Amino acid sequence: MIYLITIVLNGGNSFKKANIEGFWGFGGNQMIEFKNANKYYGDFHVLKDINLTINKGEVVVIIGPSGSGKSTLLRCINRLETISEGSLTVNGIEVNDKKTDINKLRREIGMVFQHFYLYPHKTVLDNITLAPIKALGQSKEEAKKTAHAYLKKVGIPDKADSFPSQLSGGQQQRVAIARGLAMHPEIMLFDEPTSALDPEMIGEVLDVMKSLAKEGMTMVVVTHEMGFAKEVADRIIFIDKGQILEDADPTEFYVEPKEERAKAFLSRILNH
Amino acid sequence: MLDFTILTENWDMYAEGFKVTLLCSLLALIGSFLLGTILAVFRIAPIKPLNWIGTIYVEFFRNIPLLIIAFTIFVGLPTLGISFDGFQAGTIALIIYTSAFIAEAIRAGILAVHKGQTEAARSSGLTYIETMRYVILPQAIKIVIPPLGNQFINLVKNSSILSVIAAGELMYQADLISLRTYVVFDVYIIVALLYLVITLPLSYGVNYLEKRLAKSN
């Protein structure tokens, strides 16, 4: 009985929240907006009626058990995956519209992957300058200048001429972040950016992400790093079985998650 | 003991044959590599009609004898008003035939490059073609070098079939020498050695390239 009431209350809460954000979004502030978005893999319902608005400058952390659909949700934003129903807009542009120039839209959205996916046959510098030169039409000199600036920003200015295989995991991930930033994107997506790293390297990557967040970058981060979420996230989205179950302030969420499944999830990841 | 006077007495013909085999193989190697790469990209492109073209091409030309392709070009096309000499027809036939095998090798190489590479490149705003050209193909080539080496060695040996359309290459010259001198065994052993002069360096070159590229990764 209590469980049922919790769900009802929570359902009401997230409804209210969506409305408020819709209101803020009215001022043209929203960067990413899912409206009644569903996704299926054949019979499998991966994303269930997603309503989510992310505003400019917000840092949103998505958490949830593995297989809950959190990465899929993230990957829909730059159309690495497509939604099956509903609407998804980025900067007011319908992502899945046939008329949308997806390459142009993707230039505005940087993405960082769990396994970095640096180009192994290219130097760090060439990794960073490839898209600015080819997709933005920057000159080589200009792109190199930008690349060096971002390498400095992520703390590895001396690695420009190294190959990815010569770098540690943490360094590779910081190169990947610099590669994303070099396109001057409006949004940065992070798909479990520290999950493939040795523990002692997680900090250096999180530090870069924190400084990025403080500079006002709009960020959507799938992560299990609760410290990061608490410190820099504006909102926490808890997702399970393809449904958004909580959309909460981080402090509220950690102190008192409303949803039973969120409680269970938190106790599992915090007490291991 | 091998009678090498055959070689010295017929040096001009052997040299001519060697030159033609080398030139024809080199042209066919470059041509089939380019055509094969394009066909491989066709086969995996996200555009259905291109897939069909690639698949039909590969399955057709891979599964018919090179000799028929050579005959068709040399004897069949002139009836349509397009004629080639033996060398041209032979080189074109080799390109058409070998590119089907090379397309398959390169396709396998492309598929062996991790999907994340494509995702990283596409999500940075690069187009499909740019992603292929700058990110996927350079990595696929490394994977593909050993099977590609086999194809190139086969190509050199297959060029011997072109003797039947008077392409003027090594095998053709050997036939002529044999008819003229009534010597069979020695003439063809010498030809075999001359093929080795081309294929062994090719084989070692491929091995060397493979090792060097493996090191750079």
Side-chain angles (χ1 to χ4, degrees), chain B residues 13 16-17 20-21 159-179 188 191 195:
Chain B
M13 292 174 79
E16 171 66 15
V20 173
T21 292
S159 71
S160 63
I161 284 180
L162 307 181
S163 59
V164 298
I165 57 165
E169 37 61 69
L170 260 180
M171 194 68 184
Y172 176 79
Q173 303 291 356
D175 289 342
L176 290 187
I177 296 167
S178 177
L179 285 175
Y188 289 107
V191 166
Y195 273 110

Side-chain angles (χ1 to χ4, degrees), chain A residues 214-235:
Chain A
K214 282 181 189 129
E215 285 161 28
M217 175 65 78
T218 309
M219 292 164 66
V220 188
V221 186
V222 171
T223 187
H224 296 298
E225 290 301 326
M226 292 306 151
F228 172 82
K230 255 186 227 173
E231 191 180 331
V232 295
D234 296 306
R235 281 156 65 199

Side-chain angles (χ1 to χ4, degrees), chain A residues 17-72:
Chain A
K17 187 124 188 148
N19 265 349
I20 291 166
E21 270 141 22
F23 174 74
W24 282 111
F26 203 69
N29 212 6
Q30 73 248 64
M31 287 298 280
I32 303 165
E33 189 170 30
F34 287 87
K35 271 190 206 155
N36 305 104
N38 283 281
K39 179 173 177 63
Y40 305 87
Y41 285 127
D43 286 338
F44 182 50
H45 201 168
V46 199
L47 295 177
K48 293 173 187 158
D49 200 33
I50 301 291
N51 284 293
L52 174 66
T53 305
I54 295 169
N55 292 325
K56 194 172 167 57
E58 260 189 320
V59 177
V60 174
V61 166
I62 304 175
I63 61 168
S66 69
S68 59
K70 53 192 191 304
S71 281
T72 308

Side-chain angles (χ1 to χ4, degrees), chain A residues 75 103 106 117-119 121, chain B residues 114 117 119 121-122 124 134:
Chain A
R75 289 159 58 87
N103 296 320
R106 280 172 174 161
Y117 299 143
L118 295 181
Y119 313 133
H121 59 301
Chain B
H114 197 281
Q117 293 288 317
E119 289 184 350
R122 292 307 306 274
S124 72
Y134 301 112

Side-chain angles (χ1 to χ4, degrees), chain B residues 54-133:
Chain B
T55 306
I56 291 169
Y57 182 100
V58 166
E59 291 306 344
F60 185 73
F61 287 111
R62 182 167 74 155
N63 293 309
I64 60 171
L66 169 61
L67 195 53
I68 291 178
I69 303 174
F71 268 143
T72 309
I73 294 170
F74 189 60
V75 188
L77 287 187
T79 62
L80 302 172
I82 312 162
S83 49
F84 297 104
D85 64 27
F87 175 78
Q88 293 165 335
T91 308
I92 294 168
L94 268 179
I95 290 175
I96 289 175
Y97 180 74
T98 312
S99 59
F101 290 91
I102 288 181
E104 279 305 88
I106 292 181
R107 185 177 73 106
I110 292 172
L111 294 179
V113 176
H114 197 281
K115 210 176 103 235
Q117 293 288 317
T118 307
E119 289 184 350
R122 292 307 306 274
S123 67
S124 72
L126 295 180
T127 63
Y128 178 78
I129 304 272
E130 286 166 344
T131 299
M132 273 294 152
R133 182 162 160 213

Side-chain angles (χ1 to χ4, degrees), chain A residues 79 93-103 105:
Chain A
R79 212 166 92 182
I93 298 161
E94 187 63 50
V95 175
N96 292 291
D97 195 325
K98 279 215 169 68
K99 276 177 253 156
T100 300
D101 180 351
I102 190 64
N103 296 320
L105 188 67

